[in-house]
């Protein structure tokens, strides 16, 4: 993986226009401090980079001036490739020693991640950074906490090859799957030939592109359902904007499209890495523990610590309650069911 080149992180026209409208709307004194704002879970950002393209018709929002946009429906992808990718996602043969699958750390049945502060590698040692959820990851502009990977395919390949995760390779995996007649048949149906290294990565990437969670309470409110949010949730959203949280957590993924230094006023979690990709807040209520080191056990704790570290602000109990209420409204649905709570 190559080192990050911040000079190449340039804003998209859509992101700049949306952000400019938001800041220009004069939404409270907190916005005038946008350079140092809270990022409810982990740091805000240095520069904006492009988000994955979506069909304009996929976004159904009547509240055009909000800094957050609704999650679109899953993209149209060859269903045979998606089905194959889903099978591979839970296949332990993807790891060198056949001990783990993608689903071992990314539980689709719950929150798309795991309940652990740190997952463990093949050798039993703790992985350095907390596991990010795979839900809505496809909507981010970079992948991983440090954002070194630029697309889903690169992220998938890195996970397969990393000695800290699968310790395998797409070539080795293709050879294993080729020995399975049922898998050969599935690859023929989806790709027209036996398993090949590129097809393994492609199938996994296509499945991950379908792991979006639209239909949450907040997205329904964005679409015009005034009754979708409670008074506490709507008040929490207004506070989220007035404090400046939305300067870092905005766009379709409520984050995921910026980089930032953490611990601006006070230390926050482990000091390394110093610069991190701002995580998405989609389904955030379901993904404890929080921060890149998993050191915040609850959402309440994470909100308090972020306010202090990034804003030098001590929130009142009422403010914390309101922010947490809003963050709970960001929980969406997957295959018709609400994304699960704490695993």
């Amino acid at each position: 993986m190559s080192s990050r080149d911040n000079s190449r992180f340039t804003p998209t026209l859509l992101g700049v226009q949306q952000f400019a409208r938001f800041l220009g709307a004069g939404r409270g004194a907190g916005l005038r401090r946008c350079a140092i704002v809270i990022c409810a879970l982990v740091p805000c950002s240095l520069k904006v980079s492009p988000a994955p393209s979506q069909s304009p018709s996929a976004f159904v929002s009547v509240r055009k001036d909000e800094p957050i946009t609704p999650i679109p429906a899953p993209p149209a992808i060859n269903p045979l490739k998606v089905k194959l990718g889903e099978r591979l996602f839970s296949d332990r043969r993807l790891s060198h020693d056949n001990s783990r699958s993608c689903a071992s750390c990314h539980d689709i049945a719950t929150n798309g991640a795991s309940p652990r502060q740190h997952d463990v590698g093949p050798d039993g040692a703790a992985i350095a950074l907390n596991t990010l959820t795979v839900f809505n990851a496809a909507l981010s502009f970079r992948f991983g906490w440090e954002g070194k990977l630029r697309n889903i395919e690169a992220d998938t390949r890195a996970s397969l090859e990393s000695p800290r995760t699968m310790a395998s390779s797409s070539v080795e995996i293709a050879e294993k799957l080729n020995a399975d007649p049922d898998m050969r048949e599935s690859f023929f149906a989806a790709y027209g030939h036996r398993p090949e290294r590129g097809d393994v990565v492609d199938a996994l990437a296509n499945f991950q592109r379908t792991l979006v969670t639209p239909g949450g309470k907040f997205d329904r409110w964005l679409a015009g359902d005034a009754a979708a949010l409670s008074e506490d949730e709507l008040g929490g959203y207004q506070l989220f904007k007035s404090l400046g949280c939305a300067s870092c957590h905005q766009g379709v993924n409520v984050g995921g499209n910026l980089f930032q230094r953490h611990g601006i006023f006070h230390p926050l979690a482990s000091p390394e890495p110093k610069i991190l990709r701002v995580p998405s807040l989609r389904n955030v209520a379901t993904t404890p523990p929080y921060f890149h080191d998993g050191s915040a056990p609850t959402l309440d704790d994470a909100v308090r610590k972020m306010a202090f570290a990034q804003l030098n602000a001590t929130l009142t109990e009422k403010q914390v309650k309101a922010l947490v209420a809003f963050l709970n409204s960001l929980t969406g649905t997957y295959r018709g069911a609400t994304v699960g709570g704490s695993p």
Side-chain angles (χ1 to χ4, degrees), residues 76-89 186-193 198-210:
I77 301 175
N78 183 332
L80 293 176
K81 293 182 179 181
V82 173
K83 183 178 180 180
L84 176 58
E86 183 173 5
R87 288 182 63 189
L88 292 173
F89 198 81
S186 294
F187 272 88
F188 264 109
Y191 291 97
H193 49 250
D199 301 332
V200 171
V201 172
D202 184 73
L204 286 166
N206 279 316
F207 171 58
Q208 290 175 76
R209 288 189 173 95
T210 71

Side-chain angles (χ1 to χ4, degrees), residues 145-180:
W145 278 108
E146 296 182 87
K148 293 179 178 179
L149 302 165
R150 293 175 175 267
N151 55 52
I152 300 178
E153 287 79 7
D155 183 56
T156 299
R157 188 174 295 106
S159 294
L160 297 177
E161 296 176 352
S162 171
R164 303 298 304 123
T165 51
M166 298 301 204
S168 185
S169 70
S170 51
V171 172
E172 177 184 338
I173 294 165
E175 291 175 353
K176 289 181 182 179
L177 299 177
N178 194 42
D180 181 337

Side-chain angles (χ1 to χ4, degrees), residues 85-100:
E86 183 173 5
R87 288 182 63 189
L88 292 173
F89 198 81
S90 297
D91 196 321
R92 293 178 179 272
R93 287 174 294 186
L94 268 63
S95 60
H96 177 68
D97 61 1
N98 303 316
S99 67
R100 62 185 58 217

Side-chain angles (χ1 to χ4, degrees), residues 18-70:
Q18 180 187 53
F19 194 48
R21 286 200 305 271
F22 172 57
L23 292 181
R27 299 178 183 267
L31 293 180
R32 292 191 288 272
R33 298 181 291 172
C34 63
I36 55 172
V37 292
I38 181 177
C39 301
L41 282 198
V42 189
C44 73
S45 176
L46 301 178
K47 296 186 180 180
V48 180
S49 287
S53 61
Q54 300 285 348
S55 167
S57 62
F59 294 91
V60 182
S61 178
V62 299
R63 303 181 189 276
K64 302 298 184 182
D65 293 329
E66 298 299 334
I68 299 171
T69 55

Side-chain angles (χ1 to χ4, degrees), residues 141-285:
F141 86 115
R142 296 286 189 275
F143 294 82
W145 278 108
E146 296 182 87
K148 293 179 178 179
L149 302 165
R150 293 175 175 267
N151 55 52
I152 300 178
E153 287 79 7
D155 183 56
T156 299
R157 188 174 295 106
S159 294
L160 297 177
E161 296 176 352
S162 171
R164 303 298 304 123
T165 51
M166 298 301 204
S168 185
S169 70
S170 51
V171 172
E172 177 184 338
I173 294 165
E175 291 175 353
K176 289 181 182 179
L177 299 177
N178 194 42
D180 181 337
D182 184 51
M183 271 294 180
R184 283 204 306 272
E185 182 179 345
S186 294
F187 272 88
F188 264 109
Y191 291 97
H193 49 250
R194 296 181 176 220
E196 294 182 359
R197 57 180 299 183
D199 301 332
V200 171
V201 172
D202 184 73
L204 286 166
N206 279 316
F207 171 58
Q208 290 175 76
R209 288 189 173 95
T210 71
L211 296 178
V212 294
T213 61
K217 294 175 67 176
F218 186 74
D219 280 3
R220 297 200 303 272
W221 180 81
L222 286 173
D225 181 358
L229 295 182
S230 68
E231 183 178 344
D232 283 347
E233 290 164 343
L234 187 57
Y237 178 49
Q238 299 302 328
L239 182 60
F240 185 82
K241 292 189 290 184
S242 66
L243 284 173
C245 309
S247 295
C248 296
H249 291 285
Q250 28 64 24
V252 64
N253 227 11
V254 199
N257 60 349
L258 306 170
F259 285 93
Q260 177 60 299
R261 177 173 64 89
H262 60 91
I264 292 176
F265 286 101
H266 305 280
L268 177 73
S270 300
E272 297 294 337
K274 292 182 176 66
I275 303 295
L276 298 171
R277 180 179 64 89
V278 177
S280 166
L281 297 186
R282 292 288 184 179
N283 305 307
V284 67

